[in-house]
Amino acid sequence: MNNCLLCAQPVKQTASWELSWLFRSPPICCKTCLAGFEKLTGSLCTFCGKESTEPVCEDCQDRDHFLDSNKSIYRYNDFAKEYMKKFKFQGDYAIGAIFKSELKKHLAGENQKIVPIPVSKTRKLERGFNQTSAILKQSDILYEEILAKKHTEKQSKKTKKERLAAEQVFYFLGKEVGEVCEILLFDDIYTTGSTLNLAAQILKKAGVEKVSALTIFR
Ligand SMILES: [Zn+2]
Ligand SMILES: [Zn+2]
């Protein structure tokens, strides 16, 4: 028996008749904690994955779309905020593994190159790791770090308008992107979409045809 990475309670493994259960690694998060993450369901905006009764939500109506689409898994509720605080700001690296099976499910059958959204060097030093690569790494998902980020003021300190009008903050780590048709950007949270849109912009300028995104929270 192991303990839940979030609440430290012992995790009970329930027996199942599914054959796949035999090969599954033991759960690293208890059922109660897992239930705290609310999945996004229902009708979603085609572009940004926000819950919306319209096919294209209000936020996406008049904007330049470099990012072709975004899919998010969970709602950024209070539980998710607490999780991010623990993971990102208190640097609890191990809990990045929590979304492994959910991410594997979302990425099954996808064969684009997966590129994590980088953090600036300063931010990486503060935290000790880049949270997006950390989640992928701990989920055994192959990725390539091809983008780097300039150091700017914290996103959370900016107003929504400032975030939407942001200038390019990304650059290529190496010599551009090469012959790649499709890229899937990976980020932890989709807020206004401006960060992902900027990353998509630089990739499209470099010749990538399709850029979509997968984010944990929305
Ligand atoms: Zn728990
Ligand atoms: Zn939208």
Side-chain angles (χ1 to χ4, degrees), residues 7 9 12 25 45 49 58-59 80 102 127 134-135 141 151 153 160 162-163 181 200:
C7 68
Q9 294 296 311
K12 269 189 238 135
S25 40
C45 166
E58 228 173 79
D59 297 354
E102 206 51 43
R127 267 175 218 154
I135 294 175
I141 291 164
H151 185 68
E153 212 189 316
K160 188 174 178 185
E162 279 171 333
R163 280 194 299 239
C181 302

Side-chain angles (χ1 to χ4, degrees), residues 45-50 52 55-61 190 218:
C45 166
T46 353
F47 283 113
C48 69
K50 180 181 172 175
S52 159
V56 178
C57 82
E58 228 173 79
D59 297 354
C60 291
Q61 268 159 18
Y190 183 109
R218 174 79 172 80

Side-chain angles (χ1 to χ4, degrees), residues 3-11 28-34 79 98:
N3 291 69
C4 170
L5 281 185
L6 288 180
C7 68
Q9 294 296 311
V11 181
I28 50 177
C29 182
C30 77
K31 276 195 174 152
T32 320
C33 287
L34 261 188
F79 190 78
I98 277 168

Side-chain angles (χ1 to χ4, degrees), residues 95-182:
I95 65 173
I98 277 168
F99 308 110
K100 181 172 175 172
S101 67
E102 206 51 43
L103 282 172
K104 290 263 184 198
K105 240 190 268 169
H106 273 82
L107 294 169
E110 303 275 355
N111 46 15
Q112 322 86 311
K113 195 193 276 279
I114 299 172
V115 174
I117 290 292
V119 291
S120 68
K121 275 186 206 149
T122 319
R123 204 68 78 216
K124 198 172 168 180
L125 279 174
E126 269 171 27
R127 267 175 218 154
F129 58 89
N130 169 13
Q131 71 273 10
T132 54
S133 315
I135 294 175
L136 293 174
K137 193 172 189 175
Q138 295 193 72
S139 305
D140 297 324
I141 291 164
L142 288 178
Y143 60 91
E144 249 178 84
E145 288 177 319
I146 60 170
L147 294 174
K149 192 170 179 262
K150 293 177 206 159
H151 185 68
T152 50
E153 212 189 316
K154 272 195 181 136
Q155 285 283 314
S156 47
K157 281 188 187 156
K158 293 181 189 167
T159 64
K160 188 174 178 185
K161 205 175 160 198
E162 279 171 333
R163 280 194 299 239
L164 286 172
E167 55 181 280
Q168 188 54 266
V169 288
F170 297 106
Y171 58 94
F172 286 100
L173 262 177
K175 265 193 291 157
E176 299 239 325
V177 67
E179 297 276 307
V180 183
C181 302
E182 271 187 61

